[in-house]
Amino acid sequence: MLDPHKVQDTQFTARLVNGRVIQPQRELPLLSQCEVLVVGGGPAGVSAAIAARRAGARVTLVERYGHFGGLWTGGLVLLVLGHIVKGGKQVCMGIGEEMMQRLEKLPGGIINRGPGKNPTVDAEALKYVMVEMIEEAGVEVFLHAWGVDAILEGNTVRGAVFESKSGRQAILADVVIDATGDGDIFAAAGAEFEHRTHNVGLVSRIGNLDRIDPSRAPAGNRPKRLGSPTPAPGVNWVNLIGPEVDGLDVRTLTRMEMSHRKFIWRNVQQARQVPGYESLYLVETAPQLGVRITRVLNGVATVRYADLKAGRRFDDVVAVGGSTDGQHGEWQVPYGALVPKKVENVLAAGRCISAEMQMADLVRLIPNCCATGHAAGVAAAVAVKDRCSPRQVEVPKVQKILREQGAYLG
Ligand SMILES: Cc1cc2nc3c(=O)[nH]c(=O)nc-3n(C[C@H](O)[C@H](O)[C@H](O)COP(=O)(O)OP(=O)(O)OC[C@H]3O[C@@H](n4cnc5c(N)ncnc54)[C@H](O)[C@@H]3O)c2cc1C
């Protein structure tokens, strides 16, 4: 482990040998050992960790940033879509719904809640709720630690390796849930996946919307791109779609951050030039870039558009998703969509589960990520209890616990 007070022993420091950079082999110190390790603390990871812990497993959750919520909070994606179906019924329940119920009790936590509606949350309130729920559940947490490798024994995952200010450390686990959104851990473990491109944007918040006077703006010259209301008075969140690029390429990510930031700043300054809009200001750009889809697991089963159209029901359903605006009915996630084809002891949760491209834009919506995270957490806990690989869990047991924990399975 790195000791910040001591001069480092350089025996394991990378070497430049004949123009190539070589990392010496070394033994890693153990940071922790648990039954269920969840990597990534977004909507899927937080739901997974709480579910697994409530189902009786010892759980460790590791997140690369300093807060929970992933794109939902750090990405300022505040609008909750995808949990209602035609007719207005809400289908995403369970831990994600519990988060929203808790937000309702906090002043300024959530707006537009109610049957058939798509609510908007406050990011800080949600970060607070997630800390509260994680602590109540008794999950061990490491923040500021980046999952950089899987630990393999044969083709079985035995844990993951993390980089942090404490250096490179290992966590051993019976089952690992990859909730990184990008499949970082299942990819490192050699699981099959599809590498997709998608739009990469950057969300921002602008303020003083309650002080503008649109009647003073010249006709046809009102600023566009002023976003939608949030629970904070006079503050809107502004989505930015961005170009379709590779969200795993560090040069691209850097370029996106810098160009989006300039665009957002200039856009707000331009709006301020319009009479009546002088008091508008940029509250913040999201600390987390808006990467939508990158790696998607090739699972034992796949979420398919034809199944949505046919209203297909699966015996091994572990989650149910809805629509963005009540356009269609519910669709089901079979357990196999979380399970890699070959590698053992790792499950996917959230936006990187196995799904056709046509379904990816539904699968990745926040409530659906909470639902697949919830499912992965319970399945991992059942695997630990029954001492089997997640591939072999008895799905009816998982379904029973999910229902007891408030999930809706159709
Ligand atoms: C611009 C944009 C607009 C969107 N608009 C909407 C919308 O209006 N409504 C809606 O419902 N959804 C929307 N979405 C989709 C939704 O926000 C995401 O798909 C959802 O948050 C995904 O949840 P997740 O938990 O799977 O992944 P994420 O939210 O990406 O969370 C992954 C977490 O894992 C952490 N992590 C990643 N890699 C590592 C690692 N190697 N080690 C440790 N931690 C790691 C991340 O820091 C993050 O906290 C939008 C997405 C974007 C980008």
mmCIF file of all heavy atoms in Angstrom, residues 312-352:
data_model
loop_
_atom_site.group_PDB
_atom_site.id
_atom_site.type_symbol
_atom_site.label_atom_id
_atom_site.label_comp_id
_atom_site.label_asym_id
_atom_site.label_seq_id
_atom_site.Cartn_x
_atom_site.Cartn_y
_atom_site.Cartn_z
ATOM 1 N N ARG A 312 -43.920 -10.515 -24.763
ATOM 2 C CA ARG A 312 -43.488 -11.834 -24.304
ATOM 3 C C ARG A 312 -43.186 -11.849 -22.810
ATOM 4 O O ARG A 312 -42.618 -10.903 -22.270
ATOM 5 C CB ARG A 312 -42.238 -12.241 -25.106
ATOM 6 C CG ARG A 312 -41.777 -13.626 -24.779
ATOM 7 C CD ARG A 312 -40.773 -14.129 -25.784
ATOM 8 N NE ARG A 312 -40.151 -15.340 -25.284
ATOM 9 C CZ ARG A 312 -39.017 -15.827 -25.722
ATOM 10 N NH1 ARG A 312 -38.369 -15.204 -26.691
ATOM 11 N NH2 ARG A 312 -38.524 -16.932 -25.219
ATOM 12 N N ARG A 313 -43.570 -12.948 -22.183
ATOM 13 C CA ARG A 313 -43.281 -13.121 -20.761
ATOM 14 C C ARG A 313 -42.276 -14.254 -20.611
ATOM 15 O O ARG A 313 -42.323 -15.242 -21.339
ATOM 16 C CB ARG A 313 -44.568 -13.444 -20.000
ATOM 17 C CG ARG A 313 -45.599 -12.323 -20.108
ATOM 18 C CD ARG A 313 -46.951 -12.759 -19.595
ATOM 19 N NE ARG A 313 -46.952 -12.874 -18.144
ATOM 20 C CZ ARG A 313 -47.178 -11.863 -17.306
ATOM 21 N NH1 ARG A 313 -47.418 -10.657 -17.797
ATOM 22 N NH2 ARG A 313 -47.170 -12.030 -16.018
ATOM 23 N N PHE A 314 -41.342 -14.086 -19.684
ATOM 24 C CA PHE A 314 -40.300 -15.090 -19.484
ATOM 25 C C PHE A 314 -40.494 -15.780 -18.129
ATOM 26 O O PHE A 314 -40.795 -15.111 -17.141
ATOM 27 C CB PHE A 314 -38.908 -14.425 -19.490
ATOM 28 C CG PHE A 314 -38.539 -13.819 -20.810
ATOM 29 C CD1 PHE A 314 -38.790 -12.479 -21.069
ATOM 30 C CD2 PHE A 314 -37.938 -14.594 -21.797
ATOM 31 C CE1 PHE A 314 -38.448 -11.914 -22.287
ATOM 32 C CE2 PHE A 314 -37.589 -14.037 -23.022
ATOM 33 C CZ PHE A 314 -37.851 -12.697 -23.268
ATOM 34 N N ASP A 315 -40.272 -17.107 -18.108
ATOM 35 C CA ASP A 315 -40.332 -17.831 -16.824
ATOM 36 C C ASP A 315 -39.274 -17.297 -15.866
ATOM 37 O O ASP A 315 -39.464 -17.297 -14.656
ATOM 38 C CB ASP A 315 -40.071 -19.329 -17.049
ATOM 39 C CG ASP A 315 -41.240 -19.989 -17.738
ATOM 40 O OD1 ASP A 315 -42.336 -19.376 -17.744
ATOM 41 O OD2 ASP A 315 -41.059 -21.095 -18.292
ATOM 42 N N ASP A 316 -38.135 -16.862 -16.437
ATOM 43 C CA ASP A 316 -37.044 -16.388 -15.573
ATOM 44 C C ASP A 316 -36.992 -14.849 -15.518
ATOM 45 O O ASP A 316 -35.914 -14.271 -15.368
ATOM 46 C CB ASP A 316 -35.696 -16.975 -16.021
ATOM 47 C CG ASP A 316 -35.264 -16.478 -17.394
ATOM 48 O OD1 ASP A 316 -36.131 -15.960 -18.146
ATOM 49 O OD2 ASP A 316 -34.067 -16.591 -17.728
ATOM 50 N N VAL A 317 -38.150 -14.197 -15.602
ATOM 51 C CA VAL A 317 -38.174 -12.728 -15.527
ATOM 52 C C VAL A 317 -37.611 -12.262 -14.174
ATOM 53 O O VAL A 317 -37.946 -12.815 -13.126
ATOM 54 C CB VAL A 317 -39.607 -12.172 -15.729
ATOM 55 C CG1 VAL A 317 -40.599 -12.781 -14.742
ATOM 56 C CG2 VAL A 317 -39.621 -10.660 -15.590
ATOM 57 N N VAL A 318 -36.716 -11.264 -14.219
ATOM 58 C CA VAL A 318 -36.190 -10.705 -12.965
ATOM 59 C C VAL A 318 -36.380 -9.188 -12.894
ATOM 60 O O VAL A 318 -36.068 -8.575 -11.864
ATOM 61 C CB VAL A 318 -34.699 -11.066 -12.746
ATOM 62 C CG1 VAL A 318 -34.548 -12.540 -12.382
ATOM 63 C CG2 VAL A 318 -33.856 -10.701 -13.957
ATOM 64 N N ALA A 319 -36.834 -8.597 -13.978
ATOM 65 C CA ALA A 319 -37.093 -7.148 -13.957
ATOM 66 C C ALA A 319 -38.096 -6.832 -15.065
ATOM 67 O O ALA A 319 -38.175 -7.553 -16.066
ATOM 68 C CB ALA A 319 -35.800 -6.361 -14.181
ATOM 69 N N VAL A 320 -38.836 -5.742 -14.860
ATOM 70 C CA VAL A 320 -39.809 -5.310 -15.867
ATOM 71 C C VAL A 320 -39.552 -3.838 -16.155
ATOM 72 O O VAL A 320 -39.338 -3.047 -15.232
ATOM 73 C CB VAL A 320 -41.253 -5.524 -15.361
ATOM 74 C CG1 VAL A 320 -42.265 -4.893 -16.315
ATOM 75 C CG2 VAL A 320 -41.545 -7.010 -15.200
ATOM 76 N N GLY A 321 -39.552 -3.499 -17.444
ATOM 77 C CA GLY A 321 -39.309 -2.110 -17.822
ATOM 78 C C GLY A 321 -40.548 -1.482 -18.436
ATOM 79 O O GLY A 321 -41.480 -2.192 -18.856
ATOM 80 N N GLY A 322 -40.538 -0.165 -18.509
ATOM 81 C CA GLY A 322 -41.682 0.564 -19.061
ATOM 82 C C GLY A 322 -41.303 1.338 -20.307
ATOM 83 O O GLY A 322 -40.387 0.961 -21.042
ATOM 84 N N SER A 323 -41.979 2.451 -20.522
ATOM 85 C CA SER A 323 -41.773 3.255 -21.734
ATOM 86 C C SER A 323 -41.392 4.681 -21.331
ATOM 87 O O SER A 323 -41.542 5.057 -20.163
ATOM 88 C CB SER A 323 -43.068 3.284 -22.546
ATOM 89 O OG SER A 323 -44.078 3.904 -21.779
ATOM 90 N N THR A 324 -40.903 5.466 -22.290
ATOM 91 C CA THR A 324 -40.494 6.827 -21.926
ATOM 92 C C THR A 324 -41.701 7.722 -21.656
ATOM 93 O O THR A 324 -41.671 8.582 -20.791
ATOM 94 C CB THR A 324 -39.632 7.470 -23.040
ATOM 95 O OG1 THR A 324 -40.283 7.251 -24.273
ATOM 96 C CG2 THR A 324 -38.244 6.901 -23.077
ATOM 97 N N ASP A 325 -42.793 7.480 -22.414
ATOM 98 C CA ASP A 325 -43.951 8.367 -22.253
ATOM 99 C C ASP A 325 -45.280 7.639 -22.388
ATOM 100 O O ASP A 325 -46.242 8.196 -22.917
ATOM 101 C CB ASP A 325 -43.865 9.475 -23.314
ATOM 102 C CG ASP A 325 -43.933 10.839 -22.647
ATOM 103 O OD1 ASP A 325 -44.331 10.874 -21.477
ATOM 104 O OD2 ASP A 325 -43.608 11.841 -23.319
ATOM 105 N N GLY A 326 -45.311 6.389 -21.940
ATOM 106 C CA GLY A 326 -46.556 5.622 -21.998
ATOM 107 C C GLY A 326 -46.934 5.168 -23.394
ATOM 108 O O GLY A 326 -48.099 4.869 -23.666
ATOM 109 N N GLN A 327 -45.939 5.087 -24.341
ATOM 110 C CA GLN A 327 -46.275 4.721 -25.725
ATOM 111 C C GLN A 327 -46.574 3.238 -25.869
ATOM 112 O O GLN A 327 -47.207 2.837 -26.833
ATOM 113 C CB GLN A 327 -45.131 5.042 -26.703
ATOM 114 C CG GLN A 327 -44.483 6.384 -26.596
ATOM 115 C CD GLN A 327 -43.331 6.372 -25.610
ATOM 116 O OE1 GLN A 327 -43.400 5.769 -24.544
ATOM 117 N NE2 GLN A 327 -42.279 7.092 -25.947
ATOM 118 N N HIS A 328 -46.025 2.406 -25.003
ATOM 119 C CA HIS A 328 -46.219 0.959 -25.174
ATOM 120 C C HIS A 328 -46.322 0.281 -23.811
ATOM 121 O O HIS A 328 -46.184 0.932 -22.771
ATOM 122 C CB HIS A 328 -45.073 0.344 -25.999
ATOM 123 C CG HIS A 328 -43.715 0.670 -25.476
ATOM 124 N ND1 HIS A 328 -43.180 0.070 -24.361
ATOM 125 C CD2 HIS A 328 -42.790 1.563 -25.895
ATOM 126 C CE1 HIS A 328 -41.977 0.564 -24.133
ATOM 127 N NE2 HIS A 328 -41.718 1.486 -25.035
ATOM 128 N N GLY A 329 -46.491 -1.040 -23.876
ATOM 129 C CA GLY A 329 -46.666 -1.802 -22.643
ATOM 130 C C GLY A 329 -45.350 -2.178 -21.997
ATOM 131 O O GLY A 329 -44.278 -1.749 -22.446
ATOM 132 N N GLU A 330 -45.449 -3.007 -20.962
ATOM 133 C CA GLU A 330 -44.241 -3.411 -20.236
ATOM 134 C C GLU A 330 -43.469 -4.471 -21.013
ATOM 135 O O GLU A 330 -44.028 -5.153 -21.874
ATOM 136 C CB GLU A 330 -44.621 -3.931 -18.849
ATOM 137 C CG GLU A 330 -45.525 -5.143 -18.849
ATOM 138 C CD GLU A 330 -46.095 -5.417 -17.458
ATOM 139 O OE1 GLU A 330 -46.786 -4.548 -16.904
ATOM 140 O OE2 GLU A 330 -45.857 -6.527 -16.953
ATOM 141 N N TRP A 331 -42.220 -4.586 -20.718
ATOM 142 C CA TRP A 331 -41.365 -5.606 -21.319
ATOM 143 C C TRP A 331 -40.520 -6.218 -20.210
ATOM 144 O O TRP A 331 -40.267 -5.585 -19.176
ATOM 145 C CB TRP A 331 -40.480 -5.021 -22.425
ATOM 146 C CG TRP A 331 -39.819 -3.737 -22.038
ATOM 147 C CD1 TRP A 331 -40.368 -2.485 -22.105
ATOM 148 C CD2 TRP A 331 -38.523 -3.586 -21.453
ATOM 149 N NE1 TRP A 331 -39.480 -1.555 -21.626
ATOM 150 C CE2 TRP A 331 -38.340 -2.204 -21.212
ATOM 151 C CE3 TRP A 331 -37.495 -4.458 -21.129
ATOM 152 C CZ2 TRP A 331 -37.169 -1.684 -20.648
ATOM 153 C CZ3 TRP A 331 -36.324 -3.948 -20.577
ATOM 154 C CH2 TRP A 331 -36.184 -2.576 -20.345
ATOM 155 N N GLN A 332 -40.113 -7.476 -20.457
ATOM 156 C CA GLN A 332 -39.473 -8.211 -19.365
ATOM 157 C C GLN A 332 -37.983 -8.446 -19.633
ATOM 158 O O GLN A 332 -37.564 -8.599 -20.769
ATOM 159 C CB GLN A 332 -40.166 -9.557 -19.177
ATOM 160 C CG GLN A 332 -41.642 -9.406 -18.819
ATOM 161 C CD GLN A 332 -42.230 -10.655 -18.206
ATOM 162 O OE1 GLN A 332 -41.734 -11.761 -18.404
ATOM 163 N NE2 GLN A 332 -43.303 -10.471 -17.431
ATOM 164 N N VAL A 333 -37.239 -8.492 -18.543
ATOM 165 C CA VAL A 333 -35.805 -8.808 -18.625
ATOM 166 C C VAL A 333 -35.626 -10.235 -18.104
ATOM 167 O O VAL A 333 -35.862 -10.502 -16.924
ATOM 168 C CB VAL A 333 -34.964 -7.845 -17.755
ATOM 169 C CG1 VAL A 333 -33.480 -8.209 -17.836
ATOM 170 C CG2 VAL A 333 -35.189 -6.401 -18.177
ATOM 171 N N PRO A 334 -35.224 -11.166 -18.991
ATOM 172 C CA PRO A 334 -34.951 -12.518 -18.499
ATOM 173 C C PRO A 334 -33.625 -12.533 -17.727
ATOM 174 O O PRO A 334 -32.725 -11.744 -18.038
ATOM 175 C CB PRO A 334 -34.847 -13.350 -19.781
ATOM 176 C CG PRO A 334 -34.465 -12.372 -20.842
ATOM 177 C CD PRO A 334 -34.986 -11.024 -20.436
ATOM 178 N N TYR A 335 -33.529 -13.414 -16.745
ATOM 179 C CA TYR A 335 -32.322 -13.453 -15.907
ATOM 180 C C TYR A 335 -31.056 -13.593 -16.754
ATOM 181 O O TYR A 335 -30.015 -12.986 -16.456
ATOM 182 C CB TYR A 335 -32.439 -14.607 -14.899
ATOM 183 C CG TYR A 335 -31.223 -14.766 -14.022
ATOM 184 C CD1 TYR A 335 -30.735 -13.699 -13.265
ATOM 185 C CD2 TYR A 335 -30.543 -15.991 -13.965
ATOM 186 C CE1 TYR A 335 -29.604 -13.849 -12.471
ATOM 187 C CE2 TYR A 335 -29.419 -16.143 -13.168
ATOM 188 C CZ TYR A 335 -28.951 -15.075 -12.428
ATOM 189 O OH TYR A 335 -27.831 -15.218 -11.645
ATOM 190 N N GLY A 336 -31.134 -14.383 -17.830
ATOM 191 C CA GLY A 336 -29.962 -14.631 -18.668
ATOM 192 C C GLY A 336 -29.341 -13.373 -19.249
ATOM 193 O O GLY A 336 -28.172 -13.389 -19.653
ATOM 194 N N ALA A 337 -30.080 -12.263 -19.303
ATOM 195 C CA ALA A 337 -29.522 -11.018 -19.847
ATOM 196 C C ALA A 337 -28.477 -10.412 -18.913
ATOM 197 O O ALA A 337 -27.747 -9.495 -19.299
ATOM 198 C CB ALA A 337 -30.636 -10.009 -20.113
ATOM 199 N N LEU A 338 -28.400 -10.928 -17.685
ATOM 200 C CA LEU A 338 -27.392 -10.432 -16.730
ATOM 201 C C LEU A 338 -26.188 -11.365 -16.656
ATOM 202 O O LEU A 338 -25.188 -11.050 -15.993
ATOM 203 C CB LEU A 338 -27.990 -10.312 -15.312
ATOM 204 C CG LEU A 338 -29.380 -9.708 -15.124
ATOM 205 C CD1 LEU A 338 -29.684 -9.572 -13.644
ATOM 206 C CD2 LEU A 338 -29.494 -8.361 -15.800
ATOM 207 N N VAL A 339 -26.309 -12.538 -17.298
ATOM 208 C CA VAL A 339 -25.313 -13.608 -17.119
ATOM 209 C C VAL A 339 -24.448 -13.746 -18.370
ATOM 210 O O VAL A 339 -24.984 -13.964 -19.466
ATOM 211 C CB VAL A 339 -26.031 -14.955 -16.837
ATOM 212 C CG1 VAL A 339 -25.012 -16.059 -16.567
ATOM 213 C CG2 VAL A 339 -27.011 -14.819 -15.686
ATOM 214 N N PRO A 340 -23.107 -13.652 -18.220
ATOM 215 C CA PRO A 340 -22.238 -13.813 -19.404
ATOM 216 C C PRO A 340 -22.337 -15.228 -19.961
ATOM 217 O O PRO A 340 -22.656 -16.161 -19.224
ATOM 218 C CB PRO A 340 -20.828 -13.560 -18.863
ATOM 219 C CG PRO A 340 -20.969 -13.087 -17.479
ATOM 220 C CD PRO A 340 -22.345 -13.396 -16.996
ATOM 221 N N LYS A 341 -22.007 -15.367 -21.243
ATOM 222 C CA LYS A 341 -22.112 -16.700 -21.855
ATOM 223 C C LYS A 341 -21.140 -17.686 -21.216
ATOM 224 O O LYS A 341 -21.482 -18.840 -21.005
ATOM 225 C CB LYS A 341 -21.836 -16.594 -23.352
ATOM 226 C CG LYS A 341 -23.053 -16.069 -24.099
ATOM 227 C CD LYS A 341 -22.915 -16.277 -25.583
ATOM 228 C CE LYS A 341 -24.212 -15.856 -26.266
ATOM 229 N NZ LYS A 341 -23.997 -15.165 -27.519
ATOM 230 N N LYS A 342 -19.925 -17.226 -20.891
ATOM 231 C CA LYS A 342 -18.936 -18.216 -20.421
ATOM 232 C C LYS A 342 -18.370 -17.938 -19.032
ATOM 233 O O LYS A 342 -18.326 -18.822 -18.195
ATOM 234 C CB LYS A 342 -17.798 -18.311 -21.441
ATOM 235 C CG LYS A 342 -18.241 -19.052 -22.686
ATOM 236 C CD LYS A 342 -17.087 -19.305 -23.651
ATOM 237 C CE LYS A 342 -17.641 -19.825 -24.970
ATOM 238 N NZ LYS A 342 -17.205 -19.021 -26.116
ATOM 239 N N VAL A 343 -17.948 -16.729 -18.768
ATOM 240 C CA VAL A 343 -17.231 -16.453 -17.512
ATOM 241 C C VAL A 343 -18.155 -16.673 -16.303
ATOM 242 O O VAL A 343 -19.341 -16.346 -16.357
ATOM 243 C CB VAL A 343 -16.711 -14.991 -17.528
ATOM 244 C CG1 VAL A 343 -15.970 -14.667 -16.254
ATOM 245 C CG2 VAL A 343 -15.826 -14.772 -18.733
ATOM 246 N N GLU A 344 -17.598 -17.226 -15.221
ATOM 247 C CA GLU A 344 -18.403 -17.517 -14.029
ATOM 248 C C GLU A 344 -18.256 -16.416 -12.970
ATOM 249 O O GLU A 344 -17.234 -15.725 -12.908
ATOM 250 C CB GLU A 344 -17.949 -18.848 -13.404
ATOM 251 C CG GLU A 344 -18.094 -20.048 -14.310
ATOM 252 C CD GLU A 344 -19.527 -20.284 -14.784
ATOM 253 O OE1 GLU A 344 -20.476 -20.002 -14.032
ATOM 254 O OE2 GLU A 344 -19.695 -20.747 -15.932
ATOM 255 N N ASN A 345 -19.269 -16.345 -12.105
ATOM 256 C CA ASN A 345 -19.229 -15.501 -10.890
ATOM 257 C C ASN A 345 -19.283 -14.005 -11.135
ATOM 258 O O ASN A 345 -18.901 -13.237 -10.242
ATOM 259 C CB ASN A 345 -17.991 -15.809 -10.030
ATOM 260 C CG ASN A 345 -18.209 -17.047 -9.193
ATOM 261 O OD1 ASN A 345 -19.213 -17.723 -9.345
ATOM 262 N ND2 ASN A 345 -17.282 -17.317 -8.305
ATOM 263 N N VAL A 346 -19.708 -13.598 -12.305
ATOM 264 C CA VAL A 346 -19.891 -12.156 -12.533
ATOM 265 C C VAL A 346 -21.253 -11.940 -13.192
ATOM 266 O O VAL A 346 -21.680 -12.726 -14.044
ATOM 267 C CB VAL A 346 -18.730 -11.549 -13.370
ATOM 268 C CG1 VAL A 346 -18.656 -12.118 -14.772
ATOM 269 C CG2 VAL A 346 -18.834 -10.031 -13.424
ATOM 270 N N LEU A 347 -21.952 -10.915 -12.738
ATOM 271 C CA LEU A 347 -23.252 -10.538 -13.307
ATOM 272 C C LEU A 347 -23.171 -9.099 -13.786
ATOM 273 O O LEU A 347 -22.485 -8.279 -13.172
ATOM 274 C CB LEU A 347 -24.348 -10.634 -12.237
ATOM 275 C CG LEU A 347 -24.775 -12.038 -11.793
ATOM 276 C CD1 LEU A 347 -25.687 -11.942 -10.572
ATOM 277 C CD2 LEU A 347 -25.478 -12.788 -12.924
ATOM 278 N N ALA A 348 -23.903 -8.795 -14.839
ATOM 279 C CA ALA A 348 -23.993 -7.399 -15.305
ATOM 280 C C ALA A 348 -25.276 -6.780 -14.758
ATOM 281 O O ALA A 348 -26.272 -7.469 -14.550
ATOM 282 C CB ALA A 348 -24.009 -7.359 -16.829
ATOM 283 N N ALA A 349 -25.237 -5.467 -14.525
ATOM 284 C CA ALA A 349 -26.430 -4.739 -14.078
ATOM 285 C C ALA A 349 -26.416 -3.353 -14.700
ATOM 286 O O ALA A 349 -25.352 -2.781 -14.926
ATOM 287 C CB ALA A 349 -26.427 -4.632 -12.552
ATOM 288 N N GLY A 350 -27.615 -2.826 -14.989
ATOM 289 C CA GLY A 350 -27.697 -1.459 -15.506
ATOM 290 C C GLY A 350 -27.570 -1.392 -17.011
ATOM 291 O O GLY A 350 -27.965 -2.308 -17.742
ATOM 292 N N ARG A 351 -26.953 -0.300 -17.497
ATOM 293 C CA ARG A 351 -26.975 -0.024 -18.944
ATOM 294 C C ARG A 351 -26.095 -0.952 -19.771
ATOM 295 O O ARG A 351 -26.109 -0.885 -20.995
ATOM 296 C CB ARG A 351 -26.636 1.448 -19.216
ATOM 297 C CG ARG A 351 -25.266 1.911 -18.788
ATOM 298 C CD ARG A 351 -25.115 3.404 -19.020
ATOM 299 N NE ARG A 351 -23.957 3.955 -18.344
ATOM 300 C CZ ARG A 351 -22.749 4.067 -18.876
ATOM 301 N NH1 ARG A 351 -22.530 3.656 -20.099
ATOM 302 N NH2 ARG A 351 -21.766 4.601 -18.167
ATOM 303 N N CYS A 352 -25.305 -1.834 -19.125
ATOM 304 C CA CYS A 352 -24.429 -2.734 -19.884
ATOM 305 C C CYS A 352 -24.956 -4.163 -19.945
ATOM 306 O O CYS A 352 -24.231 -5.062 -20.355
ATOM 307 C CB CYS A 352 -23.007 -2.684 -19.342
ATOM 308 S SG CYS A 352 -22.864 -3.040 -17.581
#
